[in-house]
Amino acid sequence: MQGKHRFTLKPVSAALMMCWMAGQAHAADKTATAVLPTVTVTSDAAQDDADTFVAKKASGATKSDRPLIETSQSVSVITQAQIASQGAKNVPQALRYLGGVQSEAGGADYRFDTIVIRGFNADEYLDGLRLPTVTYWSRPNYDAYLLDRIEVVKGPNSVLYGQTSPGGVVNLVSKRPTADPYHEVYITAGNHNLMEGGLDLSGALDDDQHWLGRLTGTMSKSDTQVDDTKYKHYDIAPALTWQPDSNTSLTFLSQFRKDPDTGFYNQLPVEGTLVNNPNGHISSSFYGGQPGFDKYSRQQASVGYEFMHHFDDVWTVHQNLRYLQTKSDYKMVYPFGVVASAPEVNRYSMHIMEEFKAFDVDTRLQAKFDTGPVNHDLMFGVDYVHDDLRQNAGYGSASPLNYLDPDYSTPVADPAITSHNRLFMTQTGFYAQDQMKWQNWLLNLGGRYDEAQTRSTDLVAEDRTELNDYATTGRAGLMYLFDNGISPYVSYATSFQPQTGTSYTGTAFTPTKGKQSEAGVKYQPKGLDALFTAAVYDLKQQNVLTADPDHPNYSVQTGEIRSRGIELEAKANITPDWLVSTSYAYTDPEVTSSNDGNQGNSPVGIARHTAALWSEYALRGVLDGLSVGGGARYVGTSYANNANSLKVPAVTVFDAMARYRWQQWQLAMNVQNLTDKEYLNYCQDNGCHYGLRRQYMATLSYQW
């Protein structure tokens, strides 16, 4: 696999590591595919997708092995082959070529994944289990080199996942042990003093292949395009599979990560970035923090398993379980607004310490059987989530800073910790789904009932609030499979999300409700490795908080946001040597009901038009082994404030790649933002985020 977001295990002797791996090696001369870099086969469900952009399956859409062409919902898959080929350094960058998805709201700041689907912030899952959304600073982060694939399921998905965003779900799928041996080591170097390295070792641990193991690890450190800032992290993910027979499989998954340095706060004032400031322009390299004071360290660890057992030809039980713990210590000075009479930004300080623990388990019983001419894939499931967050915080001020000639000599006092809070969240859900097939017709019906409880305690004021929510959600989809590979479908789905807080009367807010109607068509031509999809949708979120017209500083749940759109996506190996991947999305979001004065306006940061094109070609003859490619990403204008009086300009960014493979060696070069364009990726009322400037990297890898 071509390394991308990689980084090696920390201080392990390179000599010892290479000796150990050599002892495990099998003489296997792996040949690169014509279009893509060689990648790892990580699971039976993903074997057909391992070395191609054109995925055929996505377990996150139905929690089953239903092919994408038979899924009556809009689903996009980013394989590890695509991640590696495009040189993506994190999950948001891996999604930048998808239609209907805006993943880089933080721009060059990739401390957190902030992904917007169809105009709504998306929820993130790892191996089908929910990642925390109640936290902010202790949110976990995952190196994309440790992932086999990323599945983007668009639209409401509460039937299978409980409380979720109406926009969709992003499911990260970890690499799993393989029976066939696979070994890779790599090293990456690039601008901003980037140095990365990593390894991926997988194979059977015994002759009978009852035990399979995999060890994936990365290490990375670099400066950034912003002065006085840097990233550094270490990541390791051991995995072990026990399969005593063909009917039983137990896979242990774990991941341990440490981030001594996690980059920078990328938000800068609107004046001087988006809006002209007579005192001067604020550069994308300007650092508005305080060297020696700012720090952001994060640690995360997770352990869990996936269990599967076939009782017979009909019944199968599945269970996924994970325990996750994260800790973060964040101390920062940040700019907020400008001084009117000078080229200076106002600054404030904060210190937040968090500890987060989460336990998730999902158990489902699956039955495949026939009732007359109708084939059923029936599933009953129950899942449970428990989150526990502790947060200590303090806030203060700092001296203004000249953004044209910054002087950081004025000391900043560490703000006193004055806030101590604890938050518990539990959710228990019961769901059922039946995927029925009769001749060429497919019908998917699903329903779910959830109980969710949130308990928040202010440990200083000794004040406690408790919210109990109950919700039922459903989904229905109908599809017809033509013999020529065309599959039109219609679907309807609902979702819910609990909300914190109370109204003026003390009544707890009810969950927001999402509902979506979608129609689309998928085309998988016979004899061509390709998948073409098109979808139109009408999506609404109701019970949104808006200002209480009778009681200032309070809210009522009469708000509504609607999003309509069109999405087109195509991935195809046109010839064995030529790959093309392209997408286009038109997203039309609107605040349809509000007391905040923004009814009829568009939410901030949502581009109406986005488009992307990526292509690569493998040369032959005397240049055999060389592949070249590149892409273009267009993001249209978006509104920068709730009043819709300011717009973020549209931007087109170009990327390029080249790689050469010789036997088991591969050298790859990736350049992102080829023309080094300075642009704004996202703006809101109180600030803007610069996009990533030119980033280039060279990766040398060896596979055996």
Side-chain angles (χ1 to χ4, degrees), residues 295-311:
K295 72 170 184 176
Y296 180 18
S297 61
R298 177 175 53 198
Q299 300 178 53
Q300 66 187 60
S302 65
V303 292
Y305 65 79
E306 292 184 347
F307 173 75
M308 181 277 296
H309 177 69
H310 294 295
F311 293 104

Side-chain angles (χ1 to χ4, degrees), residues 360-517:
D360 298 70
V361 60
D362 178 21
T363 306
R364 57 193 184 275
L365 189 63
Q366 185 177 13
K368 295 185 177 182
F369 59 94
D370 297 330
T371 55
V374 180
N375 172 261
H376 295 264
D377 186 347
L378 182 63
M379 181 187 303
F380 298 98
V382 56
D383 56 30
Y384 174 77
V385 176
H386 177 84
D387 292 344
D388 180 1
L389 170 69
R390 295 173 181 264
Q391 183 191 80
N392 300 317
Y395 303 89
S397 60
S399 60
L401 183 67
N402 188 311
Y403 55 77
L404 298 180
D405 184 20
D407 179 2
Y408 302 103
S409 61
T410 303
V412 176
D414 196 346
I417 302 298
T418 57
S419 171
H420 302 269
N421 297 291
R422 189 169 188 182
L423 178 68
F424 291 96
M425 192 283 292
T426 61
Q427 173 192 293
T428 304
F430 304 89
Y431 60 91
Q433 175 183 262
D434 193 1
Q435 299 175 90
M436 293 164 276
K437 186 173 184 179
W438 174 68
Q439 296 181 358
N440 288 31
W441 290 95
L442 292 171
L443 176 63
N444 186 333
L445 297 176
R448 181 184 179 102
Y449 172 75
D450 277 284
E451 297 181 356
Q453 181 185 71
T454 303
R455 188 168 70 248
S456 178
T457 304
D458 185 331
L459 300 177
V460 176
E462 297 184 350
D463 181 31
R464 172 173 160 171
T465 60
E466 184 172 312
L467 301 176
N468 295 283
D469 295 311
Y470 309 90
T472 56
T473 50
R475 181 172 67 181
L478 181 65
M479 171 178 273
Y480 187 83
L481 306 177
F482 286 98
D483 294 336
N484 60 3
I486 296 177
S487 302
Y489 69 90
V490 292
S491 66
Y492 179 81
T494 61
S495 66
F496 85 103
Q497 276 186 308
Q499 298 193 89
T500 59
T502 61
S503 66
Y504 175 78
T505 60
T507 304
F509 292 129
T510 60
T512 61
K513 298 286 186 178
K515 58 182 181 179
Q516 175 186 269
S517 300

Side-chain angles (χ1 to χ4, degrees), residues 141-142 146 235-238 253-257 300-303:
N141 196 270
Y142 294 90
L146 308 183
D235 219 326
I236 185 169
L253 297 169
S254 61
Q255 187 261 357
F256 307 92
R257 176 176 174 129
Q300 66 187 60
S302 65
V303 292

Side-chain angles (χ1 to χ4, degrees), residues 102 116-120 537-541 560-566 585-593 598-609 637-639 644:
Q102 292 179 243
V116 176
I117 302 176
R118 295 182 171 177
F120 297 90
Y537 63 89
D538 188 326
L539 174 59
K540 290 182 180 179
Q541 185 182 41
E560 180 183 85
I561 299 175
R562 186 218 68 208
S563 179
R564 295 173 178 169
I566 302 171
Y586 170 74
T587 307
D588 180 19
E590 181 183 343
V591 179
T592 51
S593 179
N598 58 344
Q599 183 169 333
N601 292 350
S602 295
V604 299
I606 311 301
R608 284 180 176 258
H609 299 276
T637 60
S638 62
Y639 287 106
N644 286 185

Side-chain angles (χ1 to χ4, degrees), residues 289-329:
Q290 186 74 10
F293 178 91
D294 293 353
K295 72 170 184 176
Y296 180 18
S297 61
R298 177 175 53 198
Q299 300 178 53
Q300 66 187 60
S302 65
V303 292
Y305 65 79
E306 292 184 347
F307 173 75
M308 181 277 296
H309 177 69
H310 294 295
F311 293 104
D312 50 35
D313 292 338
V314 176
W315 294 98
T316 304
V317 64
H318 302 263
Q319 186 176 75
N320 296 13
L321 180 148
R322 183 179 64 237
Y323 174 78
L324 167 70
Q325 179 173 321
T326 65
K327 293 182 179 180
S328 65
D329 188 351

Side-chain angles (χ1 to χ4, degrees), residues 118-195:
R118 295 182 171 177
F120 297 90
N121 287 332
D123 292 300
E124 206 165 17
Y125 282 68
L126 176 66
D127 300 319
L129 297 176
R130 181 175 177 270
L131 291 174
T133 55
V134 297
T135 62
Y136 188 60
W137 307 110
S138 56
R139 227 184 307 175
N141 196 270
Y142 294 90
D143 191 306
Y145 185 68
L146 308 183
L147 304 176
D148 174 68
R149 57 209 276 121
I150 303 172
E151 303 171 343
V152 179
V153 187
K154 301 174 183 177
N157 286 280
S158 285
V159 164
L160 295 181
Y161 295 104
Q163 52 177 292
T164 60
S165 162
V169 164
V170 178
N171 183 42
L172 314 180
V173 181
S174 303
K175 289 181 176 178
R176 289 159 172 76
T178 60
D180 295 332
Y182 178 85
H183 311 91
E184 178 188 63
V185 292
Y186 74 86
I187 187 170
T188 298
N191 60 330
H192 303 306
N193 297 313
L194 169 67
M195 288 297 298

Side-chain angles (χ1 to χ4, degrees), residues 53-67:
F53 277 38
V54 188
K56 305 298 190 303
K57 296 181 180 180
S59 60
T62 59
K63 292 190 177 180
S64 70
D65 58 357
R66 183 72 62 180

